[in-house]
Every structure is written in C-alpha cells, then in structure tokens.
Amino acid sequence: MANLSLRGLRKSYGTVDVLKGIDLEIADREFVCFLGPSGCGKSTLLRCIAGLEAMQSGELMIGGLRMNEVPPAERDLAMVFQNYALYPHMTVRKNLSFGLSLRRFSKAEIDSRIIEAARMLQLEALLERKPKQLSGGQRQRVAIGRAIVRNPRVFLFDEPLSNLDAALRENTRAELARLHKALQATMIYVTHDQVEAMTLADKVVVLNQGRIAQVGRPLELYHSPADLFVAGFIGTPRMNFLPAQALATLQALLQGLLPLELHGAAQTLGIRPEHIRLLAAEDSAAHIQARVHGVERLGAQSMVHLSAGPDQNLTVCVDGGQLVRSGDAVGLQFDLEHVHVFGADGRALPRRLSPAVQRALAQ
Amino acid sequence: MANLSLRGLRKSYGTVDVLKGIDLEIADREFVCFLGPSGCGKSTLLRCIAGLEAMQSGELMIGGLRMNEVPPAERDLAMVFQNYALYPHMTVRKNLSFGLSLRRFSKAEIDSRIIEAARMLQLEALLERKPKQLSGGQRQRVAIGRAIVRNPRVFLFDEPLSNLDAALRENTRAELARLHKALQATMIYVTHDQVEAMTLADKVVVLNQGRIAQVGRPLELYHSPADLFVAGFIGTPRMNFLPAQALATLQALLQGLLPLELHGAAQTLGIRPEHIRLLAAEDSAAHIQARVHGVERLGAQSMVHLSAGPDQNLTVCVDGGQLVRSGDAVGLQFDLEHVHVFGADGRALPRRLSPAVQRALAQ
Amino acid sequence: MISLAARSRRLAFYSLMLLLVLAFAAPLYWTLLTALKAKSELYAWPPIWWPAEPRWGNFVEAWTAQPFAVFLSNSLWVALLSTIGQIFSSSLVAYGFARFDFKGRNALFMIVLGSMMIPWDVSMIPLYMEFNALGWINTLKPLIVPSFFAAPFFIFLLRQFISSIPRELDEAARMDGANAWQIYWRIHLPLMAPALVLVGTFQFLGSWNDYLGPLIFLNDQSLYTLALGLAQFKGLHSNNVTAIAAMTVLLCLPPLLLFFLAQRHIMDGATSAAVKG
Amino acid sequence: AESQLLRFATWDGSESLLIQQRIAAAFEARHPGVKVQMEAYGGGYNQKLSAAFGAKNPPDVMYMWNFPQYQRVLEPLDDYLARDARIDRSDFVPGLFRFATVGDADGKTQRIYGVPAGFTAQVIYYNKDMFDHAGLAYPQEGWSWDDLRRMAIQLRKPATKAFGFGLDVNPDPYDFQSYLWSAGGRMLGPDGVSVQGHLNGAPSKAMFAMLLALLQQDVAATLGLGDGRNQRQMFTSDKVAMLLDGAAFRVELAQDGKRYGVVGLPSFQGRPAQSVVSVSALAMARESKQKALAWDFIQFFSSAEAVRLRSNDLPVLLSVAAQQGLQDDPLVRPFYAMVESMKETPAHLLNPRWMRAQDVVRDAIQEVFLSKQGDSGAILDRAAIKAERKLR
Amino acid sequence: MHKSQLMDAQSEMLMPISDPVPGKAKTAGKRRARSWSSWLPYLFIAPWLIGFLAFTVGPLLYSLYMSFFDWPLMGGERFVGLQNYQRVLFQDDDFWEALGVTARFALLYVPTHLAASLGLALLLNRRCLGEGLFRTIFYLPSMLSGVALVSIWSWIYSREYGLLNYALALLGLPAVDWLGSPDWAMSAVVIASLWSLGGTMLVFLAGLKGISVELYEAAEMSGVSKLKQFTHITLPLLSPVILFNLVTTLIAAFQQLTMALLLTGGGPMKSTYMLAMYIYDTAFKYFDMGYAAAMSWLMFALILLLSASVMRFSSLWVFYENEVKSEAPADRSAT
Ligand SMILES: Nc1ncnc2c1ncn2[C@@H]1O[C@H](COP(=O)(O)OP(=O)(O)OP(=O)(O)O)[C@@H](O)[C@H]1O
Ligand SMILES: Nc1ncnc2c1ncn2[C@@H]1O[C@H](COP(=O)(O)OP(=O)(O)OP(=O)(O)O)[C@@H](O)[C@H]1O
Ligand SMILES: [Mg+2]
Ligand SMILES: [Mg+2]
C-alpha cells in the first residue's frame, strides 16, 4: 500500500513561505500530476514528500504510517530531480545501477533492469559514457532511468521530460504509462506540459503560490475549473476572459448558463480558443465582432489573435486550413456549453453542464 | 549585418562524430529554429557558432567575416545555455548586470535594462536572490534574462523555455518575438516544442544525427516534409505511416496524388492524425476500417488510437466532444490532399499540392 | 589555421612556462650537478654547467656508505601506510564536518583549526613520554599510527573542497538508498579525488622528508628512515657535499615519480555536469 | 645468557660512525650476550638527547661535550675511575678531563662526568698548492698575524675569487675564543659572571679591529654565510689558502688527497697564541639501569685498542700517539702544541647559563664583521651589558 | 537553513535500508534510527576526536603545565606561577624583537606566497602540452627536504660565487650580500621560502579545477575580459580555497623555522631571528622548557587570534556553494 496523505504541510526558506498548508490525498497506485506556474512550490512539495526537505509543520503519511521522521532511503521512493543530479564520476551504467547495488540486487537482476531501462529510454549506446559526455536530453533520460530501475512504491518525477524532443517524449510518456500499469506504483509527476498531465494523470493537482488551487481528474479541470487561476492555467492557448458587463450580448448569454440569482455575481466570462467559431463579419450568428491582428500557423491549426474592443484581446483556435488574415474583420460565435462564469472573488459560479460535457466528465 | 553562413562544419568528440558536415545559411535578422531528436547535435552546433567549441573542419562566417579563429567574446553573440550556467555566487541582479557593467554602460542604462528584462520574465521579486534559492524555472528565466539584456547581433537560445509553465512560456515566447522585431537581431533557437518552432521561426532547421535533414519555413516542413524522418518528427501526434502495398484501397488513392510513373516507387503513405476523419464503421466514404484500442482525452481534442490490421496502428485526432470508446469499430477517411508518399529510400515523392496547401505555403 | 594573435599568445605562454621551468628545476639540477662534481669543482668560477667528467660513482658511494636499503624500506612503509591512513581518516572527518550539523560542530571545528597552530617544540617531550609509556619508542608506530587519526590541515583542506560538491548529489544518493557511510564512500570520496591526491602527496612527502619525528622517536639505526639516515650521514662534523647531494637526488626520486603518476588525477570538472542550473 | 642491550648515542656519521660500530662490535665480542645499540643522532643530537632525557628514557652511554648543561642527568664517574685499574688517567692528553669536570650544585665538590674520547685544538691549515703557485714560503711556527696578513695579500687573486685567508664571521663563539685569548682578551671573566671589561676590553677590541680590517681591506674572505658555510670546500677547491680549523678537517683532506700543511695559530702583538680545545667525551646517564656495563663500555672506548681504531680522531692517549709517532708528524704536532697553549678556561665551564649569553656574543661578532661601517667598540660594549644580563 | 540541515543530519543513517515493514518493527527501527543518527556525525569525526584526545590534548595540557614551572629539562623543576609569562611579556626584549621579525616575515611572505602560487596555478590550469610535466617541475622544490634546499640556496645566495649575483653581474648590477647583510637577509629568506610554494599552488590548482568551465564560457559569451573573469568568477568561487591557503600560510609564516634556522641561523644580527627559532633555542639550546612552553602558548594564542579574525571576516568574502545565507536573522547562528 502506498497511498499518501499530506496534512497541513508548510515549508518556508527563511522568510520565504513556499508551501502554505497543503492537504492532499493520493490513493495507492494513483498517477498524480502537479501542475502550476514556475516557482509555485512543486519541486519543494516533491522534496518534502521525498524527505529531503524538512517541513515546518504538517504531517506526511505513506501507506498509513507517519513519515515525517523517516529518512528518505526508507520511504521507498524514487525521484527524478529537476536538475538531474547525476553522479558525475560514474558512467551511465553505474549511475543506473548504483541504487540497486546498494540494495544488494544480484548482478543478473541489475543487468536486466538496466538493459530494460536503457532500451526504454534509448540509452543503450551511451551506457559507458560519463554524464559530461551526454547531451542535455540524454542526461535527463539517465535521470529518469535511475528512478525507474529502482521499482519503488512511489515515484516522484520532477519535470522528467522537459528536455526531450516531441517524439521521444511521446514515447517515454507511453512507457511511463505502461510502467505505471505494470509496476502498480504510485506516481507523482510534476510537469508543465498539459498534454502530459492530461494523458498520464488520474488526478491533477494545480498549485498556485504554495497552495492547492484545485484537485481533480484532468477533464474536470478542463471543463470545470474552480477559479480564474485554474481556468487560465489549464489549456493552451489559454482561456479568453471577458468582463461580463462589458458587452450587452454577453449578458444575454448568461441566461442559459446560470441560475438567475447568480447573474448579478457574474464578473467574468471565460471561453477557450477552441470553443469560439470564426464567422464572416456581421454574420447574425456571431455573438461579438472582432478584428484579426495576428495569425500563428501551426500546421494542423492556426491561432488567430483578435481584438474585440479596447483591452479586449481574444485568441481563437481554427483549423489550419481556414483562411484568415491580419486585419480581417470577423464575427465570433461562442460555443455556449463551454462558457465559464466567474464571480468577483475569481471563483467559478456553478454553471449548468451540457449533456455532452457531462458525458465527457463521466468517462 | 549578422547573417551567418556555415560551410562543411564538422565536429567530433574523440571518436564520436557529432556534426557530420553542416552547410547552412542564416540571413540577417532571421529567426531560425533548430529542431531535432535529443542528442542529434543541436547544442554542439550552437556551441560551435558561439566559438566555445572548436570545429574539426569547416568554416563559419558571421556578417561575411570568417569567424573560426575569433574568440567568443568578439563575435557579439549572447547565448542561453541549456543548463543555464548561472554564476552561483551572484544575485540574480548581478547575474544580469555582469555582462553589462563590464562594457561601461551607465548605471542608469544597466538598471533600466535589468528592470525591463525582469519585468518581461517576471523576475522582479527575485532580483536579490542567489541561483541556489530559485526554482528550476526561475533559474531558466535568469539565464534568458542574462542573454537579452546584452542586445547582441546574434542570439543563441538553447531550449530556453523548457522548464516554464505553459502560460509563462506563451508569454515569454511572445516577448521574444517582440524582442526579435525590436532588436533586429538574428536569433537561433533550439527547441523541442514544435509550437514554439512554428510560431517563432522564419526558418526551421531539422537536424538528425549530426546532419541537416531539412531546412524550410515552418509550414513547408509540415506540408512537404522531405523524408520520412522529418515527416515523423514534425507534428504531434506524429504522422501515421502505412505501407503503400498493404491495402488495396490505398493503392487506389495514389491515383490522384502522384504522377503515374512514380506509383511503383511508392513505398509508404503518410497521413497526419488531424487529417483523418472518423466515420461510422462501414460508412462507404471510409478508406479503411479500424478498431479503437485507446482514447486520450486532452480536453479540446482527443487522441484516438486505432489498429487497422496487424502492426497497423494509427492515431487520429478528433474533437474533444466526439464520443469514441475503446473497442469501437470505425471507418477512417483520409483527407486526400494531406497524404504524403515516400519512396524506398525514405525520401518524399513529389506529390501534387492542393490549392489550399499551396495557399497556406504561399502565406 | 591559427591566427597570428593566438599564435603569439601561445608563444608568450610557452616562453613564460619555459622560464619558470628553468627557475623551478634549477635547484634539483644544481643538486644533481653537485652530486656529479669532483670536490675541486664545487666552487669553480665562473660556474660550470656540467662537470668535465661526471662522477656517477658518487651515487654508488653515497648509497653504500650507510644501510640505505634498510632505510628505504622503512621510509616506504612509513610513508605508504601513513598516506593511506591520512587519506581515509581525514576525508572521513572532513565529510563529517562538512555535511552534518551537530551539537558543538563549530566549536569542534575551531579546535581542529586551533590544533593546527600548536607549536611543536614543547609538546614534543610530553608526546615522547606518552609514546614511551605505550612502548612505541623505537618502533615505527609513532610515525604511522597518528596519521590514521586525521590531521587538522587535511581536514580543513578537504572540508573546503567538499563544500563545493553539490548537495543534490547527496540527496540523489539518499534517494537511491545510500546511508551516510555509502554517500561518503561512493560519492564523496571519488569526487574528492583531486583533493585527495593533494592529501596523499602532502602526507607522503611529509612522511618521507620528516626528520624530526624519526629522530625523536627512533633509536635503533635499523629503523631509521631515509631522511634521518641522510641527516645522520651528514653528521655533526663532516660535510660531504657531493655525497649528500647524491643522496638528496636519490631521496626525491620516489616522491617525484609518485607525484608524476598521481598528478593527472587533479583533473577538472570533477563535479561539472552533475546538476543543471 | 640473557641478552643485554646497551644504548650508545653518538653524533658522528659517515666513517667515524663505522669506526665506532667496529669498536662496539669488539666490545660485544668481549661481552657475550651484550648488544650495543648504536644510536646515531647526527645533527639532531641535542634535540634528541634532550627529549630522551626529558622523557626519562636516555641512552646509557653518550657522546657529550657540554657537561655543565647536562650535569644533573649524568652519572659522576669519579668512583668508577678510582676503582678501575684498567684506566690510567695520566696517559690521557693533559687537560682533557678538565672539560668533563663540573662543580656540584653547592659549587664546592668538583666531579668528573665523562671520559675523553676525542679532542682537537685550532690550527691554521694552509693550501700548499696555492702557496706554491704564488711562490710563497709556507708559514712557520711562531709566526704572527702580520705575517698572515702579508701572505694573504699576496695570495689574493680577484680573477678567480681566491683569498689568502678566510674569516668565519658567523663562528661558534666557542671557537672564537681562540682569537680573543690570543690577544689577551676573553668573553667571560674568570668569575663566571662579568662580561664587561672582558668582551669589550681593550685586548678583545684590538683583535676585533685587526680582523675587521682584514675584511674591510678585502684581504680575507667572508666565511660562515652563504656557501662560505662550507669553508672546508672552499679550501679544498683553492679559494681560500689559509683556514682556521680543528683536527677533523685532516681526515677530509687526506681523503681528497689535498696537499696541505698545518701550523699553530699566529701570535698577536707579540703574545703567544692560545687556542680553545674542544673535547668530546663519553658520559653515562644517571638513569641508566646497567651502569656497570655502561662503565665497561666507556672504559673500553678509551682503551688503547679502541683509541687505535679511532683513526679519525687524534688519539687521546699519549701512549697511542707515541706508538704511532704522531708527536713527530708535522701534520699532527701543531695540535698537541696548541692543546698545551691553552691557559684560559672556556666560558661554558665557568657558568652553566653561558649558552644564552653566548648567543649575544655571536650576534655581536656578526654585527661587528657584517655591519662594517659600525663602531665595533660600541657594539661590543652593548653586547657585554646584554650578555651579563642574560647570565643573571 | 540551520534547522533544515539539522533535520538532514538527523535523517541520515547508517542502517541498511529495509523493506517497508509493518508498523511495530517500524517504530522500533525509528527509535533506533534516531539515537543512531544523533551519534552519527560524531562517528564520522571520531578518528580526529580520538586522535586529538590521544595525541594532542595530553601533550598540550602538559606543556601548559610546564609553562608554570621553571623547568630546566635536565631535572629540578620548580613552580613559578605566572612568572614565565610575566617575563616574556615584560622583561624579554628578545621575545618582542623576534615577534617583530616574525611579523615582518609574515607581512612579506604571506601575500607574495599566495599571489605567486595562485599565479602559477592559473598558468597550470590552462590546457597545454606537457601540463603534467610542468606541474611536476613547479612542485619539485617542494619535494626537496629542507636540508637540501638550504644548501642549494646558500649556493645561490653566495656573495662571491652565487648564481644570483652572477646573474646580477651579467645584468651589470652590483653584487648583493644576500645572507651577509641584515638588510637583505630577510628578503633572501622570503624568496627562498617562496620557492617551495608547490603545495599551496597545488591546492589552488585543485580548487580551480573545481570551477565549472561553463561559467567561463558564459562569461566569455558576455564579452567579459579575462581579468574580469578572474576577479568576478575565479576569485569568489575560489574563496574557500583562498581562505584555506591564507590561514595555513599565515600559520606557516608564524611557525617558520627550518628555512631561517638552516639558511641564516637567525642572523645576520638577528635580522631573521624569528619567534619559532627563539622558542626552539630556548627549549633545546638553553634547556629552559618552562619558559619555552610559556612562549609557545603566547605564540599559539597570537596565531589563534589572527586566524580567528581572518575566519571571522571570511564570511564577508568567502562564498560557499552549498550554503546559502538566509535572510532571516534568527538563522544566522548557524554556519
Ligand atoms: N564530451 C563528449 N564526449 C562524447 N560525446 C559527446 C560529448 N558531448 C556530447 N556528446 C555527444 O554528442 C551528441 C550531440 O550532443 P548535443 O549536446 O549537441 O545534443 P543535443 O542535440 O543538444 O541534444 P539534447 O536535445 O538532448 O540537448 C550527443 O549524442 C552526445 O552524447
Ligand atoms: N533556498 C531557498 N531560499 C529561498 N527561496 C527558495 C529557496 N528554494 C526555493 N525557493 C523559492 O521557493 C519557491 C518554490 O520553489 P520550487 O522549486 O518548489 O518551485 P517549482 O514549483 O518547482 O518551480 P519550477 O517549475 O520553476 O521548477 C520559488 O519561488 C523559489 O524561489
Ligand atoms: Mg521545480
Ligand atoms: Mg542540447
């Protein structure tokens, strides 16, 4: 059993409060992703779990046992450090085998695990090199390898794929998912890549400035962000926000979305770029009018940047084939079932979920 | 003038050949992205340009002058190192100002540049910290800051945003684009993030195992990859490849795509996940039949993994709202204007481009 | 290929090095010269740079004048054992001081530093008494055993070096399940290699050239070390310059050789590439 | 028989040590079951010995010259000498026992603490090659400092940096006493406490002035500093034609096959020259556990057999010297003559604290000869006051 | 930071890592772990601790004890209380003179020694042909025993036949009486001592090798001149090593004995007569052990004071990679 439970965890460096009370339950064998802006405390939280950092207060339980005083080695965790921390004097092979040989695994067992990890991370040809002789991505892969050969109860990954190319990343992601199934270990994973978070995680924890902003299944965060922060943070390109009062048409929109009593509270509307359709200017179906001021072509899709008024910038995601040019005037039609409404305190107002969304969430 | 020209550049570490003859022209003020799998030699190439690494043979010209023997300091470049290389004993402010104070900038000028960079990278609150007191992403931002305060002729960025969260990355990306316009400097940028490459670059250079696989404008790479490697490497999820002979229906498809004389040469068909439509099973419009064996839901989109026969796995990208389940039998319809054909040597066969694609490329 | 500026810089560098080499090699060269001279040539003026007929026999003569073979074996024992002892004990203690925080650490470390400053003269006699009580006088023990208990100089030296090894490596090892001892043994010891070469070199040379220790603690000539043998060979009244020079040259050959072999381990970037950032 | 270990400490090295080992071997042959452990301390003799005594673990028998300093830890040998018929004190070169004789703490009883093993006086060595080369006659007994000065001027060869005479400007003050005595001066008064009026007395000052003049006029080489420290080598390599030295130098010169002669010290202002005598003797530690055996060894060391073996030293026994015809050897005779010349008592025998004052004298000697422009009289006056203070 | 380090230390252990075990065994293990871990640091420093207690403390205290006696070595010690100290401090001109000479030596020696060895280390830090040979040769003089060095130097310094004056003569300069003139003797001793800077140089070299090349690359890219790289990167990052060399050189300067003893014997005219030599003479020439012990202790106190103040101010300029100074004043108590 390797369920984790964090209660009121606090940590500060000197006068800098980094973690300001974290309460979190992670079930056995769960795959949890930590998401959050740079500097919000993800690594610190991981280090607290690992036991590398003493917490100021709070309690950490693993498998039902209090771990605060248990040294890292005995927590049966493996960690991929954000900055790798490879042993510079050891070859890749030694880096991988170090943790195993300490635990007196047989030579054959060690070798087979190393071969397996090297295959998975495409490190076979590099086993006899020292870290200094590796490229950045290769170092990162060694760091991952060092953790996975260990087979612990809990994995802690700190942005393990950040320096890998897309193909390798996709591959490794798939391997990690496979590993997760095979090993039945609990995995905690810090990433900035939402695709990673979405595809891998059973549960995503969004952190903001040392606090948990929201915990939920990936699509839950996408479809029902708890507040402005999460809404803006999850999804790329980020959600468009419009002041609810700014445009009369938007006021009207609220009708279908919110219970009447909440209309007054609505402060901000949020709508993701992929939930806006571009229409011809003055098409009557358009909710608002806007002017294109930039187009980014990504191949399959294009990002269209528009302005709908002073300080009213929006991004819309359209098919890569669609023809748009800077300067075009267009109409925007919002996909109503995907409009989010936020109150003055930034928290999401309970909106009615369309059946489609409900279905998606139920899956 | 800061156009670069590389001719026959070779570099090896001991017996490891890393760069195997690179010929490349980079125009003044161009924004060039280097893409390529981990370990293919991107950083090494950057370091050769910077002058930190001596090349075995070949010539490097900047602004028309031979640079091989010119020490780094005199090349007027700024570089963001993949592993940051921050000065551990200096505060963030000192790290940023170090390169400036030596060039006798006025105190005021230095301060204003630092403030500007700190604002842009959201480092204002951290200026008095030492690198050890920063998170991974914060360190990376300092590394970027150190380069941009310098205002050189040529910027070299080695995966500068890899440790930043999506929002910050988007922001910084935009700032870099703005900077590029404002400073009129040539920028060379290594990244694994294709969105970055696509949105920022005037020109993308795809490297593979120390050789240039293809150079072109972003959409060119997307729409007309030169070979299987580039086709597979550019675009996420990656392009689906099918043996041309495998399915009779596919043979028939070729008719519209290739000049007749090349039909025999066609070995592999490629089609991107976003260019396949999911139809009901046995819909007559379907080109082939397949069975779903996995669905990844990313919110706006879902990735559907299918198998169309033994060893015939495909991925299809569908709208997040579309309902698919593992085990479903479906029909696949290929968007014919986006089918790529490759010969036995892996090189793309010249296909007819549809007007839409031609338009996209012309933009 | 190479630019003119670079070439002239290199030329300047190598000329400077050559000059320094001349300056630093001169002492040993002169000693060698002296060893090869006839006595009548010692004060030749102007100086001669190579004797008319080098007397290699002086070496044989000097070597056989005393049981130097016995002295050599004693010296080797003492130097090697104490070097081994010093390397391990000092690195262990330095690691303890660098990586743990414990009650009284700073005070104890100040004592370490302080004990480096103790003038040797007066504690010598009490030390002699102590070794005498232990029955160690006239054995090699007083010259070997204390090196197994870490010298302040080396503790200080190694502590300064450990302070530049990234703590992340300790952490990684802890995650890998290494205990404190294993972190020391498997991570720090190899990473300290450059500094350990220094410790080894200094201790070896210190033991090898130590004159006072053997003088005070040894009585029996069969236990003498080379340095003591040489000094005693010199005697109080005779001043056989050529023989002494010959012995001096012979005496510094083993450390010279050892150092030449060891110095390549003072290499760079022991800890580079360990962490990113 | 159970084996007995006798520890014997010596300061000698090289050949002399080998000789002593031979003596020890002969002694062992005579005393089955006894092993003599030779402890050769070389240049560290004093330090080692003091540590050993300080820690109460001294050798049984040891070489010794500074008896007043070690007196408290040495065994008085009067009784042994009196009882042992094998030893004939009258056969010893006269005056040597005086150096091993020290007054008790009460200052009344004088006891003998050592048996002489070697001695030397100071003579002038001259380099026959250099003299021949310059076409000069060799110095003769009864010569004077003026003669020396004249010869030195003629021997001086600036081109090869050769000098006629070398003056040790950094001498052991003990040896320097020869100069002062020869001038009728001394370092320490016979009362053992007054330095003033002696060190800075008129005779002493005159001697200093004369020597200083030799240096100032570039007649004498400055020895005792730099490689002048190896003054014997300078003599051997024909840089210095005349050198004041003791008997040990003979051995080295003989080995090198150098042509040299020796002559007694020159007289100064008509006074007969006087030389200090240096005596080494064997002493026994008071703490020794085997005094009888130790005495046997000491006795044996001074027996005719052993004295004959010690060919590097001048024989302390007159009978041996006579046997070897040394009294007639022109290269030895002057030593015996100079031993007899000694009338004064060396300062260290007059006051056990002399070593401290001696360093003051040494500094003064250096200052006189090195500062060169200084007023040597004033320097000596100051030094005398300071030295006296040290003795209190 | 203090606290977190403490915790780090506490969680370090010397026990084999056990598999996750049921609760009871765990708690037992934990208790054992805690008592273990509080002892652990002491285990690591035990070699020194034991050696210190066994071989240093005893003799040290004994010498302190001796310093309260009139102790003529050859028997007959007599308790005199603080008299020895009084005599040193108030009656002994020689002590103060020797102290002055020592200070002069230290003042000349320490900076030149540090600068020269750092300079050489910097030269050696360049990759070049035969670097191993260069290292070895620069270290050569440090391998020679003191006695050999001294005979070499007396040859070099000889007024008449010396190499140095020979060289001066070639340059048309007048000969200098290096060892014979009180004005030059100190410089001569300093220069001779400098020749054996190999040890310090190697320590610097090893320190230099530990500085990541990338930092220089980054600086190079920023167009930072070599000189500025040296002052702004090398020096700060080398500062722990500089501190080490400073302190040890300072101590060595004050304890300097061999070179002066053998080369000049303290002369001429006491111009190189240093404290260590005075103590040595007092002990082994005058056999005045009590007095020597008192002087030793005063010298010890002096060096301790000096080193402590150097260490104290070191926090202003020494940068420890792994010790980030926290802003919280409460935490400043810990290093
Ligand atoms: N010192 C070295 N010795 C041997 N091989 C080296 C050395 N340094 C780098 N390499 C190899 O050279 C190749 C290119 O390295 P480089 O750092 O340029 O890769 P990269 O394209 O930047 O990869 P990444 O995306 O992982 O950073 C890699 O395969 C690496 O293993
Ligand atoms: N030693 C320290 N002293 C003071 N502040 C620190 C220290 N270490 C980290 N911090 C601060 O704590 C905060 C959290 O750091 P942490 O490394 O956990 O961030 P993170 O979420 O992992 O960020 P990133 O995504 O950039 O890696 C950051 O703002 C950082 O500046
Ligand atoms: Mg982090
Ligand atoms: Mg790279």
Side-chain angles (χ1 to χ4, degrees), chain D residues 69 161 227 359 366 390, chain E residues 94 158 161 269 285-286:
Chain D
Q69 255 193 322
K161 305 214 169 195
D227 56 0
D359 282 351
Q366 281 180 8
K390 291 275 179 194
Chain E
D94 287 349
S158 165
Y161 314 99
M269 288 140 58
K285 207 156 149 196
Y286 316 145

Side-chain angles (χ1 to χ4, degrees), chain E residues 86-315:
Chain E
Q86 269 169 6
R87 200 172 119 207
V88 180
L89 291 175
F90 304 113
Q91 290 159 24
D92 192 347
D93 297 341
D94 287 349
F95 175 83
W96 293 106
E97 234 169 78
L99 186 61
V101 173
T102 309
R104 223 158 70 82
F105 176 77
L107 231 56
L108 281 171
Y109 175 69
V110 175
T112 46
H113 177 89
L114 289 178
S117 35
L118 180 56
L120 283 181
L122 286 171
L123 282 177
L124 285 181
N125 196 30
R126 282 177 61 137
R127 286 241 159 277
C128 67
L129 227 65
E131 54 184 320
L133 210 64
F134 287 134
R135 273 182 216 167
T136 311
I137 288 174
F138 290 175
Y139 191 54
L140 248 180
S142 315
M143 281 187 213
L144 297 175
S145 64
V147 180
L149 265 185
V150 163
S151 32
I152 290 162
W153 278 102
S154 11
W155 163 65
I156 292 175
Y157 280 142
S158 165
R159 192 186 57 169
E160 298 294 338
Y161 314 99
L163 193 64
L164 207 53
N165 281 349
Y166 180 64
L168 288 181
L170 290 183
L171 296 175
L173 295 170
V176 170
D177 194 0
W178 292 99
L179 297 175
S181 114
D183 305 328
W184 285 102
M186 177 60 88
S187 317
V189 172
V190 171
I191 294 173
S193 313
L194 277 183
W195 229 242
S196 312
L197 47 68
T200 313
M201 173 194 78
L202 286 184
V203 173
F204 273 132
L205 182 63
L208 287 173
K209 294 286 184 193
I211 301 178
S212 171
V213 186
E214 280 151 1
L215 299 182
Y216 294 107
E217 291 180 342
E220 187 78 3
M221 294 295 305
S222 308
V224 177
S225 68
K226 291 274 187 249
L227 183 69
K228 290 280 185 176
Q229 287 180 25
F230 174 71
T231 53
H232 285 75
I233 298 176
T234 310
L235 283 185
L237 291 177
L238 202 60
S239 55
V241 173
I242 296 177
L243 174 67
F244 171 80
N245 276 336
L246 174 59
V247 171
T248 52
T249 308
L250 200 65
I251 294 173
F254 272 83
Q255 294 181 343
Q256 164 67 29
L257 181 63
T258 324
M259 194 51 92
L261 184 69
L262 296 176
L263 195 58
T264 62
M269 288 140 58
K270 292 208 155 172
S271 56
T272 57
Y273 195 72
M274 293 181 230
L275 206 47
M277 206 184 301
Y278 186 37
I279 296 177
Y280 177 88
D281 280 349
T282 308
F284 298 112
K285 207 156 149 196
Y286 316 145
F287 293 151
D288 199 347
M289 288 315 274
Y291 193 56
M295 283 197 289
S296 288
W297 274 91
L298 285 175
M299 176 159 125
F300 176 61
L302 187 76
I303 303 179
L304 198 65
L305 207 75
L306 266 174
S307 314
S309 44
V310 169
M311 297 292 285
R312 172 133 209 104
F313 287 110
S314 75
S315 60

Side-chain angles (χ1 to χ4, degrees), chain A residues 66-237:
Chain A
R66 181 179 153 96
M67 285 285 141
N68 290 40
E69 295 79 19
V70 177
E74 287 182 25
R75 298 187 182 190
D76 198 16
L77 315 158
M79 176 155 171
V80 176
F81 289 80
Q82 188 170 11
N83 57 6
Y84 317 155
L86 302 181
Y87 309 123
H89 57 297
M90 299 182 185
T91 59
V92 171
R93 183 188 298 282
K94 282 287 293 174
N95 262 286
L96 296 180
S97 67
F98 183 62
L100 297 179
S101 64
L102 286 178
R103 287 161 200 244
R104 303 194 196 297
F105 280 87
S106 76
K107 180 95 187 57
E109 171 70 16
I110 292 178
D111 282 347
S112 83
R113 288 205 192 178
I114 288 179
I115 288 170
E116 166 62 15
R119 184 203 55 72
M120 160 175 167
L121 297 162
Q122 303 178 17
L123 289 172
E124 290 103 330
L126 308 173
L127 283 175
E128 304 314 325
R129 297 230 191 127
K130 298 251 175 91
K132 217 168 126 176
Q133 300 170 302
L134 299 178
S135 78
Q138 291 164 341
R139 287 179 203 175
Q140 191 165 38
R141 282 179 272 157
V142 177
I144 300 173
R146 195 168 58 180
I148 60 180
V149 293
R150 284 260 322 280
N151 250 359
R153 287 192 298 174
V154 182
F155 281 100
L156 306 172
F157 292 106
D158 201 348
E159 307 191 22
L161 309 181
S162 60
N163 279 85
L164 303 186
D165 58 281
L168 192 54
R169 188 184 298 208
E170 214 173 313
N171 246 327
T172 315
R173 201 162 72 203
E175 293 278 4
L176 288 180
R178 204 185 47 71
L179 207 68
H180 179 225
K181 285 220 187 70
L183 297 185
Q184 310 236 320
T186 307
M187 290 196 172
I188 303 179
Y189 194 102
V190 173
T191 181
H192 284 311
D193 184 333
Q194 301 197 4
V195 176
E196 248 163 70
M198 294 297 179
T199 50
L200 288 170
D202 298 317
K203 182 153 91 187
V204 174
V205 178
V206 181
L207 290 167
N208 185 23
Q209 300 192 349
R211 291 210 173 77
I212 291 183
Q214 187 171 1
V215 180
R217 283 179 303 119
L219 287 185
E220 218 171 300
L221 299 183
Y222 181 80
H223 289 296
S224 323
D227 57 19
L228 275 173
F229 172 77
V230 177
F233 191 76
I234 300 286
T236 29

Side-chain angles (χ1 to χ4, degrees), chain D residues 248-299:
Chain D
F249 192 25
R250 288 163 53 241
V251 183
E252 281 182 42
L253 289 170
Q255 273 172 357
D256 295 344
K258 195 80 198 161
R259 290 181 62 238
Y260 74 98
V262 293
V263 58
L265 299 184
S267 62
F268 184 65
Q269 296 173 348
R271 297 176 136 275
Q274 256 192 79
S275 162
V276 283
V277 176
S278 312
V279 176
S280 52
L282 288 201
M284 190 195 301
R286 191 171 272 179
E287 309 247 325
S288 171
K289 304 261 173 349
Q290 36 201 356
K291 292 184 177 158
L293 185 63
W295 170 251
D296 274 353
F297 185 77
I298 293 173
Q299 182 276 324

Side-chain angles (χ1 to χ4, degrees), chain D residues 116-134:
Chain D
F119 74 98
T120 185
Q122 313 247 287
V123 297
I124 299 280
Y125 285 76
Y126 56 88
N127 185 323
K128 286 190 174 167
D129 288 337
M130 289 178 77
F131 270 83
D132 292 350
H133 209 255

